[in-house]
Amino acid sequence: MSALTWSLVVCTYRRERVLPRCVRCALGSTRPPREVIVVDASPDWQRTRDAVLSEFTPDHPQVRFEYVQARRASLTAQRNQGLELCTADVAFMLDDDSLLFADSAERIMEVYEADVNRRIVALTPVFVVEVPDANVNPPAAGGEPTQGRAGADESRASPLRKLLRRLLWSDLQLLSYRGTASIARGGGPSPPYGAAELVKRFNLILVPFSTGSATFRTEVVRHARFEEMLERYAAGEDWDISERIKPLGLIAFCPGARQCHLEAPGGRLSVEAVHFLRYLNFMSLHVLHSTDVKRSRRLYRQFLWRRVISEALADLSKRRWGMPRARGTWRALRMLPAMFARSAREMREWYPQFQRKVIDADRLPNAAGRPRAF
């Protein structure tokens, strides 16, 4: 069997400072990509394109570069546009502020190649706080982030914290389209017959959902397509695509591969607007894809009541006295009846315009961290 190939597919918006770091780290892989595809929704995208191509193409003649203007400023639409240009077997659909370590692509591709029965459809490099390019980008270099963000190890949490997280459904994001089974806490599914050896060999961690900075078998994710109803701030797009491709195979974290997610600034919304849109997105996706919309409405009512409390506790822990996370979640809860009253067709027509209205109304910075009323 011939070796599989991989492509770096990056969607970007106003991230001209950190984007070259993402590309540079990928090109520095011990197993370089076949191609680098960038879909840029920035107003001055040509200037960033010229800078990126002039820096990287001379030293990487074996790599095909595609740097194109986004048809529209939407993460999901940009992802689909990038997939249309992708010619490799595996698409590394990384965030523009995610940095691969030198051996990460090699570790990921080893798993895909060993998976001759194509049981794995998505693999995510684990997140670490260390940056892979510390020697190239020292702390003094333009004030760029010097470490990334990795989730806290909840396995070491106190019994009280674990109980609260369970009661408040704090480990959940997008509820399953197929029923109540996946709302219980826990990891991913047990490996099917023939895949257990692969999972054990590479120490894979099976999970129900991928993250937004993950790798996919190109033909699987291109066929499923990311949900383009979501506008620029497309929270939930990773959970949605996972829900729709996991009947086709396994989704896992690959501990042998690492990435650093910087969460660099640029084009961000206020905290309240982020949480408002996040939970509206989840409900809108259920209107489109749930196998039982009435059940989804009932579950999301329970879910959002718990989340109002959970987000309020998170606000207080960070001394955000304006309670932006809780306020955004509460606003989403208040809109639940109107969201689930719409048909899938009506949602597709109405929700993109509503998202744009929220995004346009949002003001940053803002002393209260809240979007303007609309």
Side-chain angles (χ1 to χ4, degrees):
M1 178 179 176
S2 59
L4 299 179
T5 56
W6 70 277
S7 297
L8 175 67
V9 181
V10 181
C11 304
T12 190
Y13 175 74
R14 294 185 181 274
R15 290 284 186 77
E16 59 276 356
R17 292 180 65 88
V18 74
L19 175 64
R21 291 180 69 181
C22 174
V23 175
R24 188 179 301 114
C25 287
L27 292 173
S29 299
T30 55
R31 182 165 175 173
R34 165 190 279 186
E35 58 199 5
V36 171
I37 299 168
V38 179
V39 182
D40 194 340
S42 308
D44 55 350
W45 71 275
Q46 290 125 320
R47 183 172 63 181
T48 308
R49 176 201 60 191
D50 294 345
V52 167
L53 295 182
S54 63
E55 177 179 352
F56 297 117
T57 54
D59 295 330
H60 301 277
Q62 78 285 5
V63 178
R64 185 176 76 91
F65 287 84
E66 287 271 6
Y67 197 117
V68 299
Q69 181 183 23
R71 291 192 287 258
R72 51 185 279 246
S74 159
L75 176 59
T76 50
Q78 288 173 248
R79 287 192 186 277
N80 288 334
Q81 187 177 348
L83 285 168
E84 293 169 10
L85 300 171
C86 182
T87 66
D89 302 295
V90 177
F92 280 54
M93 308 205 72
L94 302 187
D95 292 335
D96 53 9
D97 56 355
S98 285
L99 312 180
L100 281 180
F101 282 72
D103 63 345
S104 295
E106 185 173 353
R107 300 285 84 81
I108 290 286
M109 296 304 292
E110 284 176 346
V111 179
Y112 281 117
E113 289 177 339
D115 179 25
V116 294
N117 293 318
R118 305 172 66 82
R119 304 275 193 177
I120 303 289
V121 294
L123 281 173
T124 301
V126 296
F127 294 95
V128 298
V129 297
E130 300 83 10
V131 295
D133 61 347
N135 294 330
V136 178
N137 286 277
E144 295 181 2
T146 57
Q147 68 176 23
R149 180 180 182 276
D153 184 0
E154 290 296 333
S155 66
R156 300 181 180 180
S158 68
L160 177 59
R161 180 177 174 84
K162 289 181 179 179
L163 176 61
L164 284 174
R165 292 186 67 84
R166 186 178 184 88
L167 291 175
L168 297 175
W169 293 0
S170 296
D171 296 325
L172 304 179
Q173 296 291 339
L174 182 71
L175 303 183
S176 173
Y177 293 146
R178 296 170 181 80
T180 61
S182 70
I183 70 171
R185 290 183 63 202
S190 299
Y193 177 78
E197 183 179 347
L198 182 74
V199 170
K200 182 178 180 180
R201 175 182 169 187
F202 292 101
N203 196 30
L204 302 180
I205 302 171
L206 298 183
V207 291
F209 304 105
S210 72
T211 69
S213 191
T215 74
F216 301 87
R217 290 195 184 273
T218 303
E219 63 181 42
V220 172
V221 71
R222 183 158 52 205
H223 177 74
R225 294 183 63 82
F226 288 86
E227 180 51 71
E228 293 194 18
M229 177 187 67
L230 302 181
E231 284 294 315
R232 182 178 302 156
Y233 182 73
E237 51 87 21
D238 45 359
W239 292 287
D240 168 65
I241 196 70
S242 298
E243 268 289 292
R244 292 187 288 109
I245 67 172
K246 68 184 180 183
L248 304 176
L250 299 174
I251 298 170
F253 274 89
C254 182
R258 298 167 295 161
Q259 65 176 318
C260 173
H261 189 196
L262 297 173
E263 292 198 342
R268 294 302 190 186
L269 302 176
S270 68
V271 174
E272 183 175 335
V274 164
H275 284 75
F276 182 43
L277 285 173
R278 172 179 296 162
Y279 296 120
L280 290 184
N281 283 1
F282 293 168
M283 290 187 281
S284 71
L285 290 168
H286 265 255
V287 171
L288 298 188
H289 301 298
S290 174
T291 58
D292 186 337
V293 176
K294 289 184 179 179
R295 179 193 61 219
S296 292
R297 173 177 174 154
R298 182 179 68 254
L299 288 175
Y300 265 96
R301 185 178 297 278
Q302 300 175 48
F303 173 71
L304 288 175
W305 272 113
R306 286 168 167 83
R307 273 306 169 91
V308 168
I309 299 172
S310 177
E311 301 293 7
L313 292 173
D315 282 329
L316 292 174
S317 71
K318 297 180 181 297
R319 299 185 178 183
R320 291 172 171 161
W321 310 124
M323 310 292 281
R325 295 171 63 135
R327 289 177 62 92
T329 309
W330 172 250
R331 290 173 65 195
L333 174 60
R334 291 183 61 187
M335 285 193 62
L336 182 146
M339 295 293 287
F340 282 103
R342 289 178 165 83
S343 66
R345 180 183 60 80
E346 291 169 339
M347 184 64 72
R348 287 193 183 279
E349 292 176 353
W350 168 79
Y351 191 52
Q353 298 178 30
F354 185 80
Q355 292 169 83
R356 289 192 289 270
K357 186 177 180 181
V358 174
I359 292 169
D360 292 343
D362 193 58
R363 289 179 177 177
L364 284 175
N366 178 301
R370 293 161 47 193
R372 176 171 59 86
F374 53 84

